[in-house]
Amino acid sequence: EAAVTQSPRNKVAVTGGKVTLSCNQTNNHNNMYWYRQDTGHGLRLIHYSYGAGSTEKGDIPDGYKASRPSQENFSLILELATPSQTSVYFCASGRGANQDTQYFGPGTRLLVL
Amino acid sequence: QQQVRQSPQSLTVWEGGTTVLTCSYEDSTFNYFPWYQQFPGEGPALLISILSVSDKKEDGRFTTFFNKREKKLSLHIIDSQPGDSATYFCAASGNQGGSAKLIFGEGTKLTVSS
């Protein structure tokens, strides 16, 4: 059974619209992460969380918000979507220890028109 | 600013051949270097990792080498198989107070032809 799931798997949004990407993990991990993947850039960290109620800015947070209402759930919110946010988004979880493995979800493909 | 650089961007090898992927990094405080493997339509998954106190780690057909002086690491795949066709990411992290943030390279798309 998949330990990190994401929804939706595919999303088409309009410029200026609000988009919410959801992530759920059953690993009971403290840390969760949101990345975007673009050709030539690899995976870039947008936001991360140490636990319920916590959100931290990653390396490219502009234009994104995050919410961690519970240990299991972590959402990425695009309040005003732009075409430059067209990408594949991955959620991951980890225990939070240094040298720790991160476990990734299957990704959400977002197209902003 | 890309702190972890990976090459080549793409690579094709024949079945049975040896694949070599390389990465370089800038931050001398990095001490943990995982390699992630990603198949199309899936999320990345940990393949192998190495700590800065080691210079080599082997797991079956996969070996990662680390050169602290040159700030470089590499992934070698011997007897490459079509099932190894995937995108490979190197990553790096240091001691960051519990965030365990990873910095990823740009990725190498490997195609193994039979």
mmCIF file of all heavy atoms in Angstrom, chain A residues 90-107:
data_model
loop_
_atom_site.group_PDB
_atom_site.id
_atom_site.type_symbol
_atom_site.label_atom_id
_atom_site.label_comp_id
_atom_site.label_asym_id
_atom_site.label_seq_id
_atom_site.Cartn_x
_atom_site.Cartn_y
_atom_site.Cartn_z
ATOM 1 N N PHE A 90 5.777 17.218 -6.386
ATOM 2 C CA PHE A 90 5.944 16.022 -5.582
ATOM 3 C C PHE A 90 5.911 16.360 -4.104
ATOM 4 O O PHE A 90 6.517 17.342 -3.660
ATOM 5 C CB PHE A 90 7.274 15.331 -5.900
ATOM 6 C CG PHE A 90 7.298 14.655 -7.233
ATOM 7 C CD1 PHE A 90 7.821 15.286 -8.342
ATOM 8 C CD2 PHE A 90 6.776 13.371 -7.370
ATOM 9 C CE1 PHE A 90 7.828 14.657 -9.578
ATOM 10 C CE2 PHE A 90 6.784 12.739 -8.601
ATOM 11 C CZ PHE A 90 7.303 13.379 -9.699
ATOM 12 N N CYS A 91 5.236 15.520 -3.371
ATOM 13 C CA CYS A 91 5.227 15.573 -1.922
ATOM 14 C C CYS A 91 6.114 14.444 -1.408
ATOM 15 O O CYS A 91 6.200 13.376 -2.039
ATOM 16 C CB CYS A 91 3.797 15.401 -1.421
ATOM 17 S SG CYS A 91 3.605 15.272 0.351
ATOM 18 N N ALA A 92 6.766 14.668 -0.287
ATOM 19 C CA ALA A 92 7.599 13.631 0.313
ATOM 20 C C ALA A 92 7.468 13.703 1.826
ATOM 21 O O ALA A 92 7.107 14.740 2.389
ATOM 22 C CB ALA A 92 9.059 13.797 -0.101
ATOM 23 N N SER A 93 7.773 12.598 2.475
ATOM 24 C CA SER A 93 7.794 12.579 3.930
ATOM 25 C C SER A 93 9.110 11.988 4.413
ATOM 26 O O SER A 93 9.763 11.215 3.693
ATOM 27 C CB SER A 93 6.610 11.780 4.491
ATOM 28 O OG SER A 93 6.803 10.381 4.315
ATOM 29 N N GLY A 94 9.496 12.325 5.625
ATOM 30 C CA GLY A 94 10.719 11.800 6.219
ATOM 31 C C GLY A 94 10.674 11.981 7.720
ATOM 32 O O GLY A 94 9.894 12.791 8.231
ATOM 33 N N ARG A 95 11.507 11.236 8.422
ATOM 34 C CA ARG A 95 11.495 11.317 9.877
ATOM 35 C C ARG A 95 12.048 12.650 10.379
ATOM 36 O O ARG A 95 11.745 13.071 11.499
ATOM 37 C CB ARG A 95 12.302 10.157 10.475
ATOM 38 C CG ARG A 95 11.609 8.824 10.351
ATOM 39 C CD ARG A 95 12.516 7.726 10.814
ATOM 40 N NE ARG A 95 13.722 7.635 9.995
ATOM 41 C CZ ARG A 95 14.733 6.830 10.266
ATOM 42 N NH1 ARG A 95 14.700 6.055 11.319
ATOM 43 N NH2 ARG A 95 15.784 6.792 9.470
ATOM 44 N N GLY A 96 12.872 13.282 9.544
ATOM 45 C CA GLY A 96 13.423 14.568 9.932
ATOM 46 C C GLY A 96 14.824 14.484 10.481
ATOM 47 O O GLY A 96 15.435 15.498 10.797
ATOM 48 N N ALA A 97 15.339 13.296 10.611
ATOM 49 C CA ALA A 97 16.718 13.144 11.076
ATOM 50 C C ALA A 97 17.671 13.426 9.924
ATOM 51 O O ALA A 97 17.344 13.207 8.759
ATOM 52 C CB ALA A 97 16.936 11.721 11.587
ATOM 53 N N ASN A 98 18.852 13.915 10.248
ATOM 54 C CA ASN A 98 19.852 14.107 9.207
ATOM 55 C C ASN A 98 20.204 12.762 8.580
ATOM 56 O O ASN A 98 20.139 11.723 9.235
ATOM 57 C CB ASN A 98 21.090 14.766 9.787
ATOM 58 C CG ASN A 98 20.829 16.198 10.175
ATOM 59 O OD1 ASN A 98 20.105 16.909 9.501
ATOM 60 N ND2 ASN A 98 21.414 16.618 11.279
ATOM 61 N N GLN A 99 20.543 12.789 7.304
ATOM 62 C CA GLN A 99 20.883 11.568 6.567
ATOM 63 C C GLN A 99 19.696 10.607 6.488
ATOM 64 O O GLN A 99 19.875 9.389 6.464
ATOM 65 C CB GLN A 99 22.092 10.867 7.190
ATOM 66 C CG GLN A 99 23.319 11.753 7.207
ATOM 67 C CD GLN A 99 24.156 11.580 8.469
ATOM 68 O OE1 GLN A 99 24.045 10.563 9.140
ATOM 69 N NE2 GLN A 99 24.984 12.565 8.772
ATOM 70 N N ASP A 100 18.524 11.196 6.450
ATOM 71 C CA ASP A 100 17.304 10.395 6.452
ATOM 72 C C ASP A 100 16.773 10.224 5.035
ATOM 73 O O ASP A 100 16.961 11.098 4.183
ATOM 74 C CB ASP A 100 16.268 11.079 7.336
ATOM 75 C CG ASP A 100 15.058 10.222 7.566
ATOM 76 O OD1 ASP A 100 15.190 8.979 7.569
ATOM 77 O OD2 ASP A 100 13.979 10.792 7.752
ATOM 78 N N THR A 101 16.073 9.152 4.796
ATOM 79 C CA THR A 101 15.449 8.910 3.505
ATOM 80 C C THR A 101 14.159 9.696 3.394
ATOM 81 O O THR A 101 13.379 9.760 4.348
ATOM 82 C CB THR A 101 15.135 7.412 3.341
ATOM 83 O OG1 THR A 101 16.348 6.671 3.435
ATOM 84 C CG2 THR A 101 14.480 7.144 1.989
ATOM 85 N N GLN A 102 13.936 10.295 2.235
ATOM 86 C CA GLN A 102 12.642 10.906 1.960
ATOM 87 C C GLN A 102 11.851 9.977 1.050
ATOM 88 O O GLN A 102 12.388 9.409 0.106
ATOM 89 C CB GLN A 102 12.826 12.281 1.306
ATOM 90 C CG GLN A 102 13.409 13.306 2.258
ATOM 91 C CD GLN A 102 13.433 14.709 1.689
ATOM 92 O OE1 GLN A 102 12.775 15.010 0.692
ATOM 93 N NE2 GLN A 102 14.189 15.594 2.324
ATOM 94 N N TYR A 103 10.562 9.834 1.353
ATOM 95 C CA TYR A 103 9.670 8.956 0.602
ATOM 96 C C TYR A 103 8.701 9.822 -0.187
ATOM 97 O O TYR A 103 7.969 10.621 0.406
ATOM 98 C CB TYR A 103 8.920 8.028 1.558
ATOM 99 C CG TYR A 103 9.841 7.094 2.301
ATOM 100 C CD1 TYR A 103 10.450 7.492 3.484
ATOM 101 C CD2 TYR A 103 10.130 5.831 1.802
ATOM 102 C CE1 TYR A 103 11.330 6.657 4.159
ATOM 103 C CE2 TYR A 103 11.002 4.988 2.471
ATOM 104 C CZ TYR A 103 11.593 5.405 3.641
ATOM 105 O OH TYR A 103 12.469 4.578 4.303
ATOM 106 N N PHE A 104 8.716 9.635 -1.488
ATOM 107 C CA PHE A 104 7.968 10.506 -2.377
ATOM 108 C C PHE A 104 6.621 9.916 -2.785
ATOM 109 O O PHE A 104 6.470 8.699 -2.927
ATOM 110 C CB PHE A 104 8.785 10.791 -3.643
ATOM 111 C CG PHE A 104 9.900 11.764 -3.431
ATOM 112 C CD1 PHE A 104 11.101 11.360 -2.870
ATOM 113 C CD2 PHE A 104 9.750 13.093 -3.783
ATOM 114 C CE1 PHE A 104 12.138 12.258 -2.664
ATOM 115 C CE2 PHE A 104 10.782 14.006 -3.595
ATOM 116 C CZ PHE A 104 11.979 13.591 -3.033
ATOM 117 N N GLY A 105 5.675 10.816 -3.026
ATOM 118 C CA GLY A 105 4.425 10.437 -3.628
ATOM 119 C C GLY A 105 4.565 10.329 -5.143
ATOM 120 O O GLY A 105 5.646 10.577 -5.688
ATOM 121 N N PRO A 106 3.492 9.995 -5.848
ATOM 122 C CA PRO A 106 3.547 9.770 -7.295
ATOM 123 C C PRO A 106 3.525 11.039 -8.126
ATOM 124 O O PRO A 106 3.724 10.976 -9.346
ATOM 125 C CB PRO A 106 2.297 8.943 -7.566
ATOM 126 C CG PRO A 106 1.343 9.386 -6.504
ATOM 127 C CD PRO A 106 2.179 9.669 -5.287
ATOM 128 N N GLY A 107 3.282 12.179 -7.494
ATOM 129 C CA GLY A 107 3.316 13.437 -8.233
ATOM 130 C C GLY A 107 1.949 13.910 -8.707
ATOM 131 O O GLY A 107 1.021 13.121 -8.891
#
